[in-house]
Each structure stands twice: as C-alpha cells, then as structure tokens.
Amino acid sequence: MAKSGKKKILKCVQMPEQAPGARIKNFDEVTLGYSPEQAIREASRCLQCKDSPCGRGCPVEIDIPAFVKCIREGDFIGAAYKIKEKNCLPAICGRVCPQENQCERFCVLGKKGDPLNIGGLERFAADYGRAQNRLDEPSRPNLTGQAGKKVAVIGSGPAGLTVAGDLARLGYEVTIFEGLHKPGGVLVYGIPEFRLPKDIVQFEVDYVRRLGVEIRTNVLIGKLFTVDELFEQGYHAIFVGVGAGLPLFMGIPGENLNGVYSANEFLTRGNLMKSYLFPEYDTPIKRGKKVAVVGGGNVAVDAARMALRLRADEVYLVYRRSEVEMPARAEEIRHAKEEGINFKVLTLPVRLLGKDGWVCGMECVRVELGRVDESGRRRPIPIEGSEFTLDVDVVVVAIGTGANPLLPGTTPGLELDERGYIVADEETGRTSREGVFAGGDIVTGAATVISAMGAGTKAARAIDEYLKKQV
Ligand code: FAD
Ligand code: SF4
C-alpha cells in the first residue's frame, strides 16, 4: 500500500488534451490547460527545495518554488504576479518553452519519477490572471533621468518585446519597428494556432503596449529607414532583434517546382495570413493530398501537423537522422505520432520529381549513421542501392534558417560572423557599433523563445547603463 501511495505522488497530473481524431480536424489548441484543482494537485508535488535547482534552468530567472507555492495555496493571482516579475510573456513560455531541457531538467522529482510540470503551472497562472482580467494594468514607473531618452527596437519577436517592455518599465520612450503587419515575430507567423493561440500572443503584445511602448508595423528597417537614419531621427540607442528568418534549401534538383514551399512560407500563409480560411481570407495555399515535410525540428513538426489539418491524406516527416537526434520537443513528437504523421527517419531526399511544373514525387535514399560530425551529431551516410520514391504533391522544406542580410547589409560598421549573424557580447548585447545592441536569433542563430527573451533582458540592462552615461 505504502509503495503504491509513493508512486502516486511521483506521477505528474496529466494535462487534458483534445483527442487526436478530433484535433486534426480543427486548428484549436491541442492541450487544454489545468483546472484550478488539477493545478493545486500538481503544485502540491513540489518539494520546495531550499536551493531550488529548477531555478538554474530558467534563463529569465523566475522564482519557481515561490510561484508554485502560491498555486498550492490557491493564490493564483499571486503566482501570476510572481512570474511577471521576471517574464512578461508567461502564457507563451508556459506553452512553448522546451522545459524538459531547462527548469524541469533540474527538478529533483525527475530523478525518481516525473519532474514537476513547471511549464503547465506557469501557463495555468498566466491564463488565470488573464481570464480574471487581473494582470491588466502594469504600472509605469516614472524614473528620473530617463525622460526624453528614446530607444528604437527593430523586430517585435520575443527578443524585441522583452527589451522594449523592460526599458519602458525603466521610463524610456520605446518604439518597436516591425516589418510585418502584425507584431510578435515567430510567435504569430511561425508557431501554429493549435500550439499557441494568437489571441494569447495578442494579449501579451498589448501588455507591452500598455507599458507605453509604441509599435509601428509595416516598417522594414534597411528599406524604409536605415539604422543610421534612426539615429538621425533622435533615437539614442537601437536594439536589433530581427530574428533568423531566411529559409535554407537542400540544394537538390527540383526544389524550384510549384508545390515546394519553405516552412517559413508554408507556416506564414497558414498562421499569419489564415490561408486555411481561403477564400474568406485572401491568401491561398496548396492543400496537398500527400505531403512530405523535410526536417526534424519544431518547425518541421509544426509544418507536418499544419499540413494534416489542411486535410492531407498522408503526411511524411522525412528526417536524415534517427528519432533520437530529432531536435523537436518530445511533446510535439508525441503529438505528431498520435495524429498519424508518418515518420520516415534515416531518409535523405536526393531529387524532387515534377510533372507540368508541379512537384509529383520525392526521390530518397536510406542512410545509416556514421561518426559524430562538426554539429555534434552522427553523420548520415547513404546506403547504396536503397533509393525509393515517395508520391507527393506538396513538399515543405524545414531544414533550418539563416540570417537575413537586409539589415546588416545596410548598417556600416556592424561586425558579422562568417555565417552573417551579428557579433554581440553575450552578457550585454553590445555590438561593434556604438549605441547598437542586438540579441535573439540574429545573434545566436535559430534558438528558442526563452533564449531570445533572456538576451532581451540582458540588453535592456546594458542599454539602461549605456544611456545613463550619456549626457
Ligand atoms: P523572431 O521571433 O524571428 O522575430 C523577429 C521579428 O523581426 C519578426 O517579426 C520579423 O518580421 C522582424 N524583422 C525582421 N527583419 C526586420 C527588419 N529589417 N525591419 C523590421 N522588422 C524586421 N522556440 C521555442 O522555444 N519553442 C518552440 O516550440 C518553438 N517553435 C518554433 C516553431 C517555428 C515554426 C519556428 C519558426 C520557431 C520556433 N521556435 C520555438 C524558435 C523561436 O520562435 C525563435 O527562437 C524566437 O522567436 C526568436 O526570437 P527573435 O525575437 O530573435 O526573432
Ligand atoms: Fe519544486 Fe522541482 Fe524546483 Fe524542487 S526542483 S523546488 S521540487 S520544482
């Protein structure tokens, strides 16, 4: 008896989800969130460790035991405020952070059973605060010395929103310049609705607005204005958070056929332009019957699940390493499998076949894994004679992205690395240009929401110090 009682304590309270058969027919969120009772039960598993090892895994330094304790005691608003002290986008992070590699990796409960579902509890507190309309009015401290100092933030992804929010709280006049018509970066154009509902992103963007940040959309810096022109317009410091949105392709024959998309285009059409509601919305998308998505990261899994919801009969996820090496989150892989995505691992596309200008097949070769290569993963080696063809009418390439050269190319004196990413100090975001700071994917290459936010937090601190020294 005692034994089975112990097991119960170690097991995580499962978050309810839409059933796979139902969810592939809609774009609604898959995971449904904890009820208050479930959240209290899950929070009660926390041991309130004195040295809080979980905190070491949180890039924005949330006081995890403190907010979990609030939930355990039924003080949900207190929990939400505790999180907001360090994280201005908690409903987003609670949903998309790879917690299994961060806070939850350090949770001592994980040594003997399931770690605490820290992400699920963060999401619960943030959603509760929003539903109660209790996190609405952020206070804007009127700090001395900052009045009249203006900061331009280029890009409204998690890095830009974080730096803007933090600087507004410190009393600076902050303007975000965003190239697209909606703010949010990958959160609005990349991560699908069924994983991150857009009204949640909107709410958190509005929160940053209510802190006093002006957001100007449809302004592409490097085209409409340059960084130098922003300085001429009176900005005292500039933060560059333009992400890494330049799609990479495989470089195989047939990639220019109709029906072949980059994951960026495929997901942007789906998420930002709502092409699944065409013709109600203007942007069309080809709804393939047999779709192959190439890649093994979150982006590939998102694109595959999107294709399924666009009513494909068969969706292949074609990945050149094994499932163990897949960079996608474990939860996304589980969801994709439950939904019926056909995993073709250890498979390398070599040629796309076309008919009348449209893609109609993908020639592949099976591979085996050899020695570890420069990426730290085992190199795929083609197996002779193992070629085969998949019949497909849409192909989505999701093998990664690079730095868009537009902004760096129009900013003289900005040091770049050999791949075109901006060189910036890890602790401060300082670049080689006086008064220009940078962070997020445009510095690190494609990474995570929370790492972009962490860079935003550090850069805001550094910009504050920099501006305090300016007369
Ligand atoms: P972005 O979010 O890319 O934002 C940059 C913004 O700058 C964009 O809005 C862009 O339009 C704008 N911009 C670019 N150039 C200019 C210019 N010249 N002038 C003005 N504006 C400009 N991470 C996770 O942690 N968990 C996940 O589950 C996850 N899933 C993902 C799924 C997909 C499909 C994708 C693409 C990424 C995913 N990521 C995930 C990664 C994560 O979203 C990124 O690491 C993060 O958004 C980077 O933030 P950022 O602020 O640096 O850039
Ligand atoms: Fe709670 Fe786990 Fe953090 Fe310990 S490590 S305080 S059990 S969340």
Side-chain angles (χ1 to χ4, degrees), residues 289 291-293 304-305 307-308 312-317 340-343:
K289 286 277 158 232
V291 179
V293 178
R305 298 174 72 201
L308 202 63
D313 294 333
E314 184 84 69
V315 180
Y316 303 105
L317 190 69
I341 304 286
N342 188 339
F343 279 51

Side-chain angles (χ1 to χ4, degrees), residues 227-228 407-416 422-423 431-434 436:
V227 163
D228 287 312
L407 189 125
T410 53
T411 312
L414 195 60
E415 193 191 338
L416 308 179
I422 297 176
V423 175
T431 70
S432 55
R433 274 289 304 267
E434 167 85 20
V436 179

Side-chain angles (χ1 to χ4, degrees), residues 46-49 52-54 64-65 106-109 116 118:
C46 177
L47 303 172
Q48 292 291 305
C49 313
S52 55
C54 47
I64 293 167
F106 293 93
C107 175
V108 295
L109 291 174
L116 193 71
I118 299 171

Side-chain angles (χ1 to χ4, degrees), residues 280-408:
E280 199 184 316
Y281 280 73
D282 287 343
T283 306
I285 196 164
K286 180 161 164 53
R287 291 170 179 254
K289 286 277 158 232
K290 290 190 168 195
V291 179
V293 178
V294 184
N298 281 325
V299 182
V301 178
D302 280 344
R305 298 174 72 201
M306 171 74 88
L308 202 63
R309 283 158 175 79
L310 287 167
R311 303 288 160 91
D313 294 333
E314 184 84 69
V315 180
Y316 303 105
L317 190 69
V318 179
Y319 182 54
R320 63 189 183 142
R321 292 189 168 92
S322 76
E323 199 181 310
V324 178
E325 283 87 16
M326 273 194 170
R329 292 190 60 197
E331 184 181 60
E332 310 316 329
I333 293 176
R334 174 174 65 82
H335 281 153
K337 283 188 169 170
E338 287 170 359
E339 291 170 8
I341 304 286
N342 188 339
F343 279 51
K344 294 264 177 216
V345 294
L346 294 170
T347 301
L348 184 70
V350 289
R351 192 158 67 108
L352 301 182
L353 311 172
K355 193 172 173 232
D356 302 328
W358 289 85
V359 69
C360 66
M362 179 190 267
E363 207 174 282
C364 302
V365 62
R366 294 197 198 288
V367 299
E368 58 192 0
L369 294 181
R371 291 177 176 215
V372 171
D373 64 15
E374 61 286 349
S375 75
R377 292 171 299 173
R378 293 173 65 195
R379 183 190 295 275
I381 303 168
I383 302 170
E384 218 174 292
S386 67
E387 291 78 7
F388 67 101
T389 300
L390 289 175
D391 287 339
V392 289
D393 53 0
V394 164
V395 170
V396 182
V397 183
I399 58 164
T401 51
N404 189 319
L406 175 65
L407 189 125

Side-chain angles (χ1 to χ4, degrees), residues 5 94-95 119 139 141 148 204 212 215 272 275 277 279 304 320 374 379 427 463:
R95 285 170 167 82
S139 59
E204 306 224 321
I215 304 183
L272 189 67
S275 59
L277 296 175
R320 63 189 183 142
E374 61 286 349
R379 183 190 295 275
E427 288 308 309
I463 292 172

Side-chain angles (χ1 to χ4, degrees), residues 96-98 154-160 177-180 185-186 189-191 195 219-221 241-243 267 298-299 302 329 406-407 439-441 447-449 452:
V96 304
C97 265
I154 308 173
S156 65
F177 295 94
E178 167 55 51
L180 293 173
V186 168
Y189 78 74
I191 304 180
R195 212 150 64 76
V219 182
L220 195 61
I221 303 298
V242 293
L267 289 169
N298 281 325
V299 182
D302 280 344
R329 292 190 60 197
L406 175 65
L407 189 125
D441 283 5
T448 61
V449 170

